[in-house]
């Protein structure tokens, strides 16, 4: 049994549905929803793409760390994270302390289709975004796997079902009654 705060953190690649599933999940549970990207943007008063362009990825990763730190002591939150949060081992340890960590898995195809709808993601502004996704995914899959307490496949399931699957997992993890 997990005795810590009853938070649920969503990890996974860009476009895996962390924010939309997270909002739905928070609504279902009556938890607050927070998004580490949004915390960073608010603190920096700058969009993510600008933070990357002006201050670099390393700076952004440090900000991710601070965003997670700021959630220490929080309870009953659904925490959506940026796709790269698992790159830093300290972030992973902190996440696992803070929350039941759920990996939203999505296929390369699904990710490509979803992220192609916007150009908000600085890491995918490359000559060949499909290839970039493939390379980043290959590097990150083992990190998501290692960081997660639980995984849910999101490519073919509606958000409502994904949220229910997470709630079932959380019920066991936190030993919630019924
Ligand atoms: C990133 C994912 C983005 C955002 C930043 C870097 C990554 O978040 O944190 O652009 O390294 O995968 P989403 O996963 O919400 O798109």
């Amino acid at each position: 049994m997990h005795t810590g705060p009853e938070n649920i953190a969503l990890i996974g690649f860009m476009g895996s549905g962390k924010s939309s599933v997270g909002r739905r999940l928070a609504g279902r549970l009556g938890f607050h929803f927070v998004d580490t990207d949004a915390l960073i943007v608010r603190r920096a008063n700058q969009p993510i793409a600008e933070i990357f362009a002006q201050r670099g990825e390393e700076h952004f990763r440090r900000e991710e760390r601070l965003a997670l730190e700021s959630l220490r002591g929080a309870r009953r939150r659904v925490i959506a994270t940026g796709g790269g949060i698992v790159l830093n081992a300290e972030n992973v340890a902190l996440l696992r302390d803070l929350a039941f960590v759920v990996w939203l898995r999505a296929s390369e195809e699904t990710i490509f289709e979803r992220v192609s709808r916007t150009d908000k993601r600085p890491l995918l502004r490359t000559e060949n975004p499909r290839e970039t996704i493939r390379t980043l995914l290959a590097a990150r899959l083992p990190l998501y796997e290692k960081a997660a307490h639980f995984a849910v496949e999101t490519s073919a399931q509606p958000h409502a079902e994904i949220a229910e699957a997470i709630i079932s997992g959380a019920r066991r993890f936190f030993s919630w009654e019924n």
Side-chain angles (χ1 to χ4, degrees):
M1 193 180 92
H2 196 269
T3 52
E6 292 168 297
N7 297 310
I8 301 176
L10 304 181
I11 62 169
F13 205 78
M14 297 172 254
S16 59
K18 292 163 294 190
S19 302
S20 32
V21 170
R23 282 180 201 285
R24 181 176 283 266
L25 183 62
R28 271 282 281 115
L29 292 168
F31 283 17
H32 284 293
F33 173 76
V34 286
D35 183 324
T36 57
D37 279 351
L39 294 178
I40 295 167
V41 166
R42 198 182 313 149
R43 211 171 99 94
N45 199 19
Q46 250 184 335
I48 304 260
E50 242 177 73
I51 302 176
F52 267 73
Q54 291 177 14
R55 317 186 72 174
E57 182 170 350
E58 252 187 61
H59 174 84
F60 180 79
R61 300 298 170 206
R62 277 197 300 278
E63 290 296 317
E64 270 184 327
R65 178 72 202 281
L66 294 176
L68 280 185
E69 290 280 1
S70 76
L71 293 171
R72 269 190 201 281
R75 299 185 64 82
R76 295 165 72 84
R77 306 278 163 103
V78 174
I79 305 164
T81 60
I85 202 123
V86 294
L87 294 172
N88 178 317
E90 289 178 349
N91 283 346
V92 171
L94 191 49
L95 262 182
R96 287 178 64 95
D97 263 7
L98 276 175
F100 173 49
V101 181
V102 178
W103 174 21
L104 301 190
R105 299 182 57 115
S107 67
E108 182 192 313
E109 185 67 42
T110 305
I111 288 167
F112 182 66
E113 194 189 294
R114 290 182 187 157
V115 301
S116 300
R117 292 183 214 140
T118 81
D119 70 343
K120 282 189 311 200
R121 291 170 170 107
L123 291 178
L124 300 178
R125 290 179 179 166
T126 60
E127 289 257 301
N128 185 345
R130 180 73 188 240
E131 188 56 39
T132 307
I133 290 171
R134 186 171 306 136
T135 310
L136 286 176
L137 250 186
R140 291 180 179 184
L141 282 179
L143 302 177
Y144 294 130
E145 180 146 35
K146 200 159 162 232
H149 293 114
F150 187 73
V152 186
E153 181 54 55
T154 69
S155 300
Q157 283 197 88
H159 286 165
E161 280 174 28
I162 300 166
E164 292 314 311
I166 296 170
I167 292 170
S168 301
R171 215 170 257 143
R172 272 174 271 136
F173 187 79
F174 294 121
S175 305
W176 285 337
E177 305 270 297
N178 55 66

